[in-house]
Amino acid sequence: MNDVDIRMLRIAYDEAKAGFDEGGCPIGSVLARGGEVVAQGRNQRVQKGDPIAHGEMDALRKAGRQKSYRDTTLYTSLSPCMMCTGTIIQFGIPRVVIGENRNFGGNEDFLRSKGVEVIVADDPDCIALMQRFIREKPDLWAEDIAE
């Protein structure tokens, strides 16, 4: 990870924390190009009543139409689910930086098998926030991961 990665992952964490503070699932994301934020977002499933409003999807929606994603990096506070993983592959996003995959993971190898560079930061703030959420709102967490 470089300085840009650290800065962008902090923005993703801040989005996750804002989502948690709103009563939602604490997952934040940033789409960046050349070290600049294109868009940032957070899981809005609870806030908007939208089952596919995951953090990565919110950031991509806010980014609007892009001619290409091949020069972008997607930062996410938590390892992406299969829906978001599929979107990363579909859009050809070449690089993903994941805050943590201890609380939820499993798609990193699939992303790599499709040529995506995957970096897992093992960020202590991302880990702690998700652990707190799972402990305090286990039903909401189960709903978010469709269990």
Side-chain angles (χ1 to χ4, degrees):
M1 291 209 353
N2 58 41
D3 290 342
V4 171
D5 293 336
I6 293 166
R7 183 168 46 91
M8 295 297 164
L9 190 55
R10 178 52 42 182
I11 296 168
Y13 170 80
D14 290 344
E15 285 285 344
K17 181 69 169 70
F20 179 82
D21 292 343
E22 294 167 353
C25 303
I27 305 163
S29 188
V30 174
L31 182 68
R33 176 181 286 120
E36 299 296 322
V37 173
V38 174
Q40 61 194 66
R42 60 182 164 267
N43 186 301
Q44 303 252 358
R45 290 181 65 259
V46 172
Q47 298 92 317
K48 293 186 176 180
D50 180 348
I52 62 171
H54 288 200
E56 300 88 341
M57 302 302 238
D58 188 47
L60 290 167
R61 279 188 182 122
K62 288 176 179 173
R65 292 176 55 202
Q66 301 289 310
K67 289 186 181 203
S68 175
Y69 295 87
R70 302 217 179 268
D71 59 347
T72 63
T73 297
L74 186 71
Y75 297 85
T76 182
S77 62
L78 184 68
S79 184
C81 71
M82 189 51 77
M83 176 181 68
C84 295
T85 295
T87 302
I88 291 163
I89 293 165
Q90 176 70 31
F91 287 180
I93 297 170
R95 187 168 183 266
V96 177
V97 176
I98 297 168
E100 71 107 341
N101 66 352
R102 290 186 189 190
N103 289 295
F104 181 82
N107 293 312
E108 297 85 9
D109 288 340
F110 185 69
L111 284 166
R112 289 182 182 111
S113 78
K114 299 298 182 182
V116 177
E117 178 187 356
V118 177
I119 297 169
V120 179
D122 217 19
D123 181 85
D125 291 336
C126 291
I127 294 166
L129 180 59
M130 186 54 62
Q131 285 174 339
R132 178 179 173 198
F133 171 70
I134 292 168
R135 183 178 62 250
E136 292 179 8
K137 298 185 178 185
D139 292 341
L140 186 54
W141 172 238
E143 177 187 326
D144 192 60
I145 59 173
E147 284 190 355

